[in-house]
């Protein structure tokens, strides 16, 4: 059982605007590998950094498409865990709550969170790599990457790859939320990838109290006001219970 400092409980009881930034760690207890976990099975020989790039897709679209088809299948068969649901409860209790996620697994939506900013896109969505049209369904003929019904371009997952820029509106909304909130949570993220990793610093600069919930210390840890190291699926429900009963 985690002991939460009374001043943090007091702060959350009175808070009117809270932001939570989540990373792969919040989905780890749902059975989804984090980015820095080693991959498994057929994909063990690859690093995400070598597959989630425009160059990898240009070089071998079928390999990249298959990796995302595998991850889509895994994401669809996984379920939110207690950490996702605790964030739904937090949103219910706080007048203005913004959930910024780096995750593409869609589990925050499934859990019932409402105000979500998906900085890195959503693996369940597929769009044309040429004209950008979203595809609701597609034909996966053996050996070929499905093509756009509109322009015949190759379909790709609607996620942000390395070297690609984040969706501008989502990023602007995330920065705005981080700079105006009273409490900023950094949950299940190594804080290694920009620009998401800068949001906690922006929040702190604007006077927010920063809380880290992560399995292990990160580069952010020395600069947070409260750090809880352990499983988010355990710590978050305990925190919600301690504050809102
Ligand atoms: N509870 C809390 N934290 C956890 C748990 C857990 N059950 N399991 C793992 N973690 C922590 C790990 O200690 C690690 O610090 O979650 C963090 C996950 O870090 P990464 O694997 O780096 O994932 P993330 O921070 O989301 O990566 C950010 O990098 O690769 C890109 O676009 C990709 O969105 C991803 C971004």
């Amino acid at each position: 059982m985690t002991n939460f400092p009374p001043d943090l409980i007091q702060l959350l009881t009175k808070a009117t605007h809270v932001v939570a930034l989540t990373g792969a760690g919040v989905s780890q207890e749902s059975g989804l590998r984090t980015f820095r976990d080693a991959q498994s099975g057929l994909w063990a020989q690859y690093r995400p950094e070598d597959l989630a790039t425009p160059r990898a897709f240009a070089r071998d679209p079928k390999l990249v498409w298959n990796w995302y088809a595998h991850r889509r299948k895994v994401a669809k068969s996984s379920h939110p865990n207690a950490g996702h649901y605790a964030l739904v409860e937090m949103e219910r209790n706080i007048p203005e709550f913004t959930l910024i996620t780096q995750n593409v697994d869609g589990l925050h939506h499934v859990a019932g969170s409402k105000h979500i900013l998906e900085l890195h896109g959503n693996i369940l969505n597929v769009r044309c790599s040429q004209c950008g049209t979203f595809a609701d369904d597609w034909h996966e003929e053996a050996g070929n990457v499905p093509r756009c019904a509109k322009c015949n371009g190759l379909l790709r997952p609607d996620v942000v790859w390395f070297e690609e820029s984040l969706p501008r509106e989502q990023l602007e909304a995330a920065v705005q939320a981080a700079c105006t909130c009273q409490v900023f949570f950094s949950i299940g993220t190594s804080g290694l990838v920009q620009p998401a990793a800068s949001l906690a610093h922006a929040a702190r600069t604007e006077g927010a109290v920063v809380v880290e919930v992560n399995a292990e210390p990160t580069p952010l840890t020395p600069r947070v006001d409260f750090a809880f190291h352990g499983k988010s699926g355990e710590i978050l429900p305990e925190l919600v219970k301690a504050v809102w009963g």
Side-chain angles (χ1 to χ4, degrees):
M1 189 68 180
T2 313
N3 282 321
F4 299 103
D7 46 347
L8 176 61
I9 293 179
Q10 186 68 0
L11 186 65
L12 287 169
T13 310
K14 291 187 301 197
T16 53
H17 186 184
V18 170
V19 167
L21 168 71
T22 63
V26 86
S27 295
Q28 189 268 340
E29 291 155 86
S30 296
L32 295 180
R33 293 184 180 287
T34 68
F35 258 83
R36 272 82 206 169
D37 276 348
Q39 300 220 92
S40 67
L42 165 69
W43 303 104
Q45 59 193 297
Y46 300 100
R47 292 185 323 140
E49 291 83 337
D50 301 330
L51 292 172
T53 72
R55 263 177 292 180
F57 187 67
R59 190 173 52 242
D60 189 343
K62 189 62 186 158
L63 175 71
V64 175
W65 173 268
N66 285 343
W67 183 51
Y68 279 94
H70 162 71
R71 289 179 61 201
R72 195 176 304 120
K73 201 160 137 246
V74 172
K76 278 182 175 168
S77 62
S78 60
H79 305 285
N81 63 64
H84 294 102
Y85 291 116
L87 289 166
V88 175
E89 270 316 293
M90 212 181 265
E91 184 171 20
R92 286 204 185 111
N93 285 285
I94 293 169
E96 196 179 343
F97 183 85
T98 307
L99 177 56
I100 304 167
T101 189
Q102 302 170 90
N103 299 340
V104 297
D105 56 39
L107 286 180
H108 286 302
H109 287 283
V110 176
S113 289
K114 298 279 175 273
H115 187 197
I116 305 171
L117 298 173
E118 290 180 316
L119 289 188
H120 295 168
N122 187 318
I123 201 170
L124 304 180
N125 299 331
V126 167
R127 63 175 156 86
C128 174
S129 58
Q130 302 297 328
C131 69
T133 306
F134 279 83
D136 295 328
D137 59 12
W138 52 84
H139 304 288
E140 295 221 28
E141 290 121 35
N144 302 317
V145 176
R147 288 186 173 272
C148 171
K150 207 165 152 199
C151 78
N152 204 41
L154 292 174
L155 293 184
R156 57 163 285 181
D158 185 37
V159 297
V160 178
W161 281 335
F162 290 99
E163 301 142 37
E164 288 186 325
S165 48
L166 276 63
R168 196 170 52 80
E169 271 166 48
Q170 305 272 349
L171 183 56
E172 283 173 358
V175 171
Q176 174 62 19
C179 292
T180 51
C181 67
Q182 292 143 326
V183 184
F184 183 98
F185 283 88
S186 178
I187 304 167
T189 179
S190 56
L192 295 175
V193 172
Q194 295 300 350
S198 305
L199 291 171
H201 303 297
R204 191 156 170 68
T205 308
E206 296 301 324
V209 166
V210 180
V211 184
E212 179 176 59
V213 177
N214 202 60
E216 63 204 354
T218 70
L220 181 66
T221 306
R223 280 185 291 283
V224 301
D225 299 281
F226 299 95
F228 302 101
H229 292 143
K231 293 186 169 189
S232 49
E234 292 169 7
I235 294 168
L236 291 175
E238 287 172 4
L239 177 61
V240 166
K241 193 164 176 340
V243 179
W244 293 288

